[in-house]
């Protein structure tokens, strides 16, 4: 017979049965005197044995359940710091049940706190990892504690593989290592700028160190940030080149004007021919200065205008634009026996500010005529290009432009050969203007050139968009 | 006696012509080259008395020309007057520290240029303001520096200068009219008295001027470049 009872009821029933049997056995023992044969004694002893055995079994089973419950609780509590554990509720109906409930409540609170902490830590990690600035945590012995992705990329390292290793060992950058050494010794924030190799290139790095402290505020090492400032430095150098060029371009004519005027005024030149020559120099330099200022203003207007709608925007046949420009430059071309060929389909239309495009084409054609040897040909072509663009190309058989200059010729005042462009009276701004006109109209300018063969400048402008494309809603 | 020859290194032909015109009027002979490399060749083949060097040149820039000329024994002694259109003090400072002797900035007055050429020549002929026996007599006798006794007399009255102030004044006064950069001053004064930084140069100069009283204007600040002892010549400022 098996009793299907709950733990507590079973336990109580077991105890009751054992008690009844024990009383029965006792009653038999009380009457022993009347039965000296010992049969009753045997029966009594048997009953007592059964009662004792039953009590033992019930007690053992009970003890085991309690121990299991306690062990389960201990395991559950121990598991808590490692993350959410399964609920304990309803698994133990013993005296430990209230404890289990309390533990369960704690578990839930802890689990939600842990989840919060994990999220915060994941967020922080995500921020550190996605930062553009390279971060390195380094201890006092120059061992890498951790680094973010930017640092690993910059130094070309595997962040996990190098953890705990010496900086000097993994980053073979003398200047970086010297900086780390200084920063550890200085125990105060340091900054430095140096160059390192990264991805096969030299990069200019701005390094900063900040002492790291543990929870007790004791020094624990360094946090080093490395910022790649290569582009910034390049821009600065471009800017300073530009400033130097502007300064040179403007001061040269001014120096000449001032110098020759001073000479005529202070010294007085008796020689009539000399006087005429000096006056001519002054006039030429004044013209040069005026031309530079005119071009600078044109550029500044183009930058301000940006993509603004212009009332002058209209559908224009490309051929008439090109013809107009070539007509203006005909005498310059004739003077060098240069033939300017025009190949533009009659029906090629473009919606632009005609005067801007004329100026861009004029600058390109004028350059072609200026730099081509006498008796050569200049070809101006127009055609539809991919992506809704019109391509206006100017090709010459001039000396060509060397590759090292090609990328820079659209910069303001960039000169392939200063002496040559001075002889031709250029301002150094013509191609910059072409580029800015193209940009203002939503297009671009491209160049291909081969030294000794010639140059091919291509102006690409949106067919029907350009200035009008970003027009305000008032445009019909 | 052969004429004193000036080598003009300038890529702008009209500016070169202007410089040449004025120097010739003053009795100098002139030669003109248009690039840095040509300047080096010309200076080595036939060293001029003075070099007037534009800093912005095609091929080799003026600073590099200056450096190379000062490196070579046979061209080291040629005084160099730098001409810069950059107007950037960093170039002037770099040029002076490379051994350039003086500079003018564009636009310049031709007369100033001629005066500067004369000045560097006088300096190189050993015509320094040293009067006799370790005594520098300056500003028409208003200031006397006695290098043997470490005494400075202002209008005949001795003034109390620290060792550093004395060294500074003495260093600048040896070359009136010539700008010395802070680094040049530090290099010259260093070891003689105390270790200087570029900021402490300014502090010592301020103290020195205070002690010079009405002669304080003799120590001139050249913004962004350094200091110079006022020139004993007619006003030459552009």
């Amino acid at each position: 017979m098996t009793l299907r009872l709950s733990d507590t009821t079973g336990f109580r029933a077991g105890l009751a049965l054992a008690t009844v049997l024990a009383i029965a056995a006792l009653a038999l023992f009380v009457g022993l005197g009347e039965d000296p044969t010992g049969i009753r004694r045997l029966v009594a002893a048997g009953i007592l044995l059964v009662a004792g055995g039953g009590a033992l079994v019930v007690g053992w089973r009970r003890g085991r359940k309690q121990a299991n419950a306690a062990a389960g609780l201990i395991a559950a509590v121990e598991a808590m710091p490692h993350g959410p554990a399964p609920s304990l509720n309803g698994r133990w109906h013993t005296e430990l049940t209230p404890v289990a409930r309390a533990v369960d409540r704690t578990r839930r609170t802890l689990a939600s706190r842990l989840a919060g902490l994990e999220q915060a830590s994941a967020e922080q990690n995500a921020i550190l990892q996605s930062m553009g600035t390279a971060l390195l945590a380094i201890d006092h012995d120059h061992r890498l504690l951790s680094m973010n992705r930017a640092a690993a990329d910059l130094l070309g390292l595997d962040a996990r593989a190098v953890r705990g290793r010496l900086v000097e060992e993994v980053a073979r950058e003398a200047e970086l290592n010297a900086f780390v050494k200084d920063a550890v010794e200085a125990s105060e924030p340091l900054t430095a700028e140096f160059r390192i190799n990264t991805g096969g290139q030299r990069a200019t790095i701005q390094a900063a160190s900040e002492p790291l402290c543990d929870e007790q505020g004791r020094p624990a090492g360094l946090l080093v940030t490395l910022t790649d400032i290569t582009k910034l430095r390049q821009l600065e150098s471009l800017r300073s080149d530009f400033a130097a060029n502007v300064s040179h371009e403007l001061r040269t004519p001014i120096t000449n004007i001032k110098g020759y005027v001073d000479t005529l005024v202070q010294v007085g030149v008796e020689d009539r021919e000399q006087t005429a020559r000096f006056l001519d120099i002054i006039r030429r330099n004044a013209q040069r200065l005026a031309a530079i200022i005119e071009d600078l203003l044109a550029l500044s207007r183009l930058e301000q205008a940006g993509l603004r709608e212009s009332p002058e925007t209209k559908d224009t046949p490309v051929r008439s634009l090109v013809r107009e420009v070539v007509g203006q430059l005909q005498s310059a071309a004739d003077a060098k026996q240069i033939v300017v060929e025009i190949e533009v389909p009659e029906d090629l239309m473009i919606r632009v500010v005609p005067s801007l495009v004329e100026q861009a084409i004029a600058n390109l054609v004028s350059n072609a005529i200026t730099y081509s040897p006498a008796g050569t040909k200049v070809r101006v072509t127009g055609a539809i290009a991919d992506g809704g663009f019109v391509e206006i190309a100017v090709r010459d058989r001039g000396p060509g432009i060397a590759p090292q200059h090609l990328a820079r010729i659209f910069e303001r005042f960039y000169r392939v050969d200063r002496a040559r462009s001075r002889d031709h009276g250029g301002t150094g701004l013509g191609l910059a203007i072409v580029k800015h006109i193209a940009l203002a109209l939503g297009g671009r300018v491209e160049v291909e050139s081969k030294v000794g063969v010639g140059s091919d400048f291509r102006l690409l402008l949106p067919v029907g968009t350009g200035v009008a494309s970003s027009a305000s809603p008032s445009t019909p | 006696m052969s004429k004193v020859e000036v080598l003009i290194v300038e890529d702008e032909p009209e500016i070169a012509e202007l410089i040449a015109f004025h120097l010739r009027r003053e009795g100098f002979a002139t030669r003109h080259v248009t690039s840095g490399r040509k300047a080096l060749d010309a200076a080595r083949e036939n060293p001029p008395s003075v070099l007037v060097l534009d800093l912005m040149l095609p091929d080799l820039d003026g600073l590099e020309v200056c450096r190379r000329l000062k490196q070579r024994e046979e061209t080291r002694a040629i005084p160099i007057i730098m001409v810069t259109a950059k107007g950037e003090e960093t170039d002037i400072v770099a040029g002076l520290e490379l051994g350039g002797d003086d500079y003018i900035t564009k636009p310049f007055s031709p007369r100033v240029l001629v005066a500067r050429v004369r000045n560097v020549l006088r300096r190189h002929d050993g015509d320094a303001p040293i009067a006799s026996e370790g005594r520098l007599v300056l500003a028409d006798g208003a200031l006397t520096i006695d290098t043997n006794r470490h005494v400075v007399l202002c209008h005949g009255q001795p003034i109390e200068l620290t060792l550093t102030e004395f060294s500074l004044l003495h260093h600048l006064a040896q070359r009136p009219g010539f700008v010395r950069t802070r680094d040049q001053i530090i290099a010259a004064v260093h070891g003689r008295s105390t270790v200087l930084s570029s900021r402490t140069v300014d502090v010592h100069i301020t103290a020195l001027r205070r002690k010079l009283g009405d002669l304080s204007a003799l120590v001139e600040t050249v913004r962004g470049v350094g200091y110079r002892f006022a020139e004993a010549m007619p006003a030459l400022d552009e």
Side-chain angles (χ1 to χ4, degrees), chain A residues 350-366:
Chain A
I350 190 165
R351 186 171 167 76
V352 287
V353 179
S355 61
L356 284 180
V357 180
E358 268 177 28
Q359 195 185 351
I361 301 171
N363 285 0
L364 292 177
V365 174
S366 158

Side-chain angles (χ1 to χ4, degrees), chain B residues 22-211:
Chain B
H22 284 273
L23 289 173
R24 281 203 218 104
R25 274 191 80 246
E26 298 289 324
F28 295 100
T30 61
R31 252 194 300 164
H32 172 215
V33 292
T34 53
S35 81
R37 292 196 191 285
K38 287 177 191 160
L40 287 178
D41 292 343
R44 281 170 196 164
E45 278 164 26
N46 192 2
S49 309
V50 184
L51 198 79
V52 173
L53 176 68
D54 189 17
L55 288 188
M56 202 174 193
L57 292 168
D59 66 26
L60 214 58
D61 78 27
L63 289 179
E64 187 58 26
V65 172
C66 185
R67 197 178 65 79
R68 294 197 191 176
L69 288 176
K70 292 295 175 182
Q71 265 175 358
R72 291 176 74 105
E73 196 59 51
E74 65 268 33
T75 52
R76 183 173 298 157
I78 304 169
I80 297 176
I81 298 174
M82 300 173 288
V83 181
T84 174
K86 288 186 180 179
E88 281 187 1
E89 286 74 15
T90 50
D91 288 318
I92 297 164
V93 171
L96 289 173
E97 276 160 13
L98 284 171
D101 293 76
D102 205 350
Y103 70 92
I104 53 169
T105 52
K106 288 181 186 175
F108 56 87
S109 145
R111 281 210 292 196
V112 169
L113 176 79
V114 172
R116 293 284 162 92
V117 170
R118 287 198 187 289
N119 209 10
V120 290
L121 283 170
R122 196 180 59 212
R123 169 70 198 150
H124 272 260
D125 289 346
D127 187 14
I130 296 172
S132 62
E133 290 155 19
R135 279 164 76 90
L136 283 168
V137 181
L138 303 132
D140 296 328
L143 187 77
T144 305
I145 303 173
D146 188 329
T147 48
N148 292 338
R149 295 193 298 137
H150 266 254
V151 169
V152 174
L153 300 175
C154 257
H155 303 295
Q157 294 299 310
I159 56 169
E160 290 278 328
L161 293 184
T162 66
L163 198 54
T164 304
E165 288 157 9
F166 182 87
S167 303
L168 275 173
L169 181 63
H170 181 236
H171 178 64
L172 293 174
Q174 280 175 308
R175 302 188 75 194
F178 287 86
V179 182
R180 310 301 290 172
T181 70
R182 287 179 177 77
D183 281 352
Q184 285 176 321
I185 293 170
I186 290 165
V189 176
H190 177 81
R192 278 209 263 166
S193 51
T194 175
V195 180
L196 286 181
S197 72
S198 102
R199 218 177 309 159
T200 52
V201 169
D202 299 345
V203 175
H204 288 291
I205 291 278
T206 307
L208 173 63
R209 281 195 185 129
R210 204 180 308 124
K211 291 178 183 177

Side-chain angles (χ1 to χ4, degrees), chain A residues 60-391:
Chain A
W60 176 76
R61 281 189 62 188
R62 161 80 178 167
R64 247 190 53 168
K65 272 203 159 59
Q66 295 274 26
N68 278 346
L73 272 177
I74 289 166
V77 171
E78 277 178 346
M80 277 178 193
H82 307 295
S87 170
L88 292 167
N89 239 357
R91 280 178 60 192
W92 290 286
H93 293 278
T94 69
E95 281 82 352
L96 287 176
T97 301
V99 180
R101 285 202 185 113
V103 168
D104 204 46
R105 275 196 302 278
T106 313
R107 181 197 62 78
R108 276 198 301 268
T109 319
L110 216 58
S112 88
R113 293 243 172 106
L114 265 176
L117 271 175
E118 254 163 34
Q119 197 190 342
S121 151
E123 275 169 10
Q124 272 184 4
N125 198 39
I127 290 169
L128 290 181
Q129 286 302 334
S130 55
M131 262 176 78
T133 303
L135 284 176
L136 299 166
I138 295 165
D139 74 7
H140 269 293
D141 302 319
H142 301 193
R143 283 181 200 286
L144 282 163
L145 299 173
S146 70
M147 66 169 80
N148 68 353
R149 204 179 308 139
D153 290 348
L154 186 70
L155 299 173
L157 298 173
D158 178 347
R160 290 216 181 108
V162 299
R163 172 173 264 174
R165 291 180 60 190
L166 293 173
V167 183
E168 295 89 327
E169 234 172 63
V170 295
R172 301 192 182 278
E173 292 291 346
E175 286 186 281
L176 170 65
N177 295 333
F179 174 75
V180 169
K181 188 167 175 285
D182 289 349
V184 168
E185 279 164 16
S187 71
E188 62 183 38
L190 280 190
T191 55
E193 195 177 311
F194 47 79
R195 287 161 75 82
I196 65 167
N197 284 315
T198 177
Q201 287 178 328
R202 295 292 280 167
T204 307
I205 298 294
Q206 193 168 54
S209 75
E210 192 71 39
L212 274 182
C213 294
D214 62 12
E215 290 94 36
Q216 279 80 45
R218 290 179 306 231
L222 288 175
L223 187 66
V224 175
T225 57
L226 304 174
T227 316
D228 188 342
I229 54 166
T230 314
K231 285 222 173 68
L232 188 74
R233 286 284 175 268
Q234 277 168 353
L235 274 177
E236 277 174 4
S237 124
L238 206 67
R239 220 180 73 98
S240 106
D241 278 2
F242 171 68
N245 280 335
V246 175
S247 168
H248 186 90
E249 297 291 339
L250 292 177
R251 281 193 201 205
T252 301
I254 290 171
T255 302
N256 276 323
I257 293 167
K258 186 173 180 293
Y260 283 99
V261 168
D262 281 355
T263 305
L264 289 174
V265 172
Q266 293 169 2
V267 181
V269 183
E270 284 94 64
D271 189 342
R272 274 192 155 271
E273 220 172 282
Q274 185 89 295
T275 307
R277 178 169 162 66
F278 285 4
L279 284 172
D280 187 48
I281 290 174
I282 293 165
R283 189 174 50 86
R284 257 204 325 268
N285 279 280
Q287 279 168 349
R288 183 169 159 194
L289 199 57
I292 290 172
I293 290 168
E294 203 50 58
D295 279 359
L296 279 175
L297 288 176
L299 271 173
S300 143
R301 272 195 303 271
L302 281 170
E303 280 179 346
Q304 279 170 12
L307 295 164
R308 250 196 338 225
E309 162 68 334
S310 163
E312 295 167 50
T313 305
K314 62 177 184 199
D315 293 318
T316 317
V318 176
R319 192 150 81 168
S320 73
L321 281 176
V322 173
R323 281 199 170 146
E324 174 70 30
V325 168
V326 173
Q328 286 164 13
L329 295 165
Q330 198 60 57
S331 59
D334 291 347
K336 290 179 77 177
Q337 292 104 46
I338 286 173
V339 179
V340 183
E341 292 179 348
I342 301 173
E343 270 177 53
V344 183
E346 205 173 339
D347 56 351
L348 186 61
M349 299 292 284
I350 190 165
R351 186 171 167 76
V352 287
V353 179
S355 61
L356 284 180
V357 180
E358 268 177 28
Q359 195 185 351
I361 301 171
N363 285 0
L364 292 177
V365 174
S366 158
N367 276 355
I369 294 171
T370 304
Y371 293 109
S372 291
T376 57
K377 270 183 193 167
V378 171
R379 283 182 67 200
V380 186
T381 60
I384 286 284
D386 291 342
F389 282 88
V390 166
E391 180 192 277

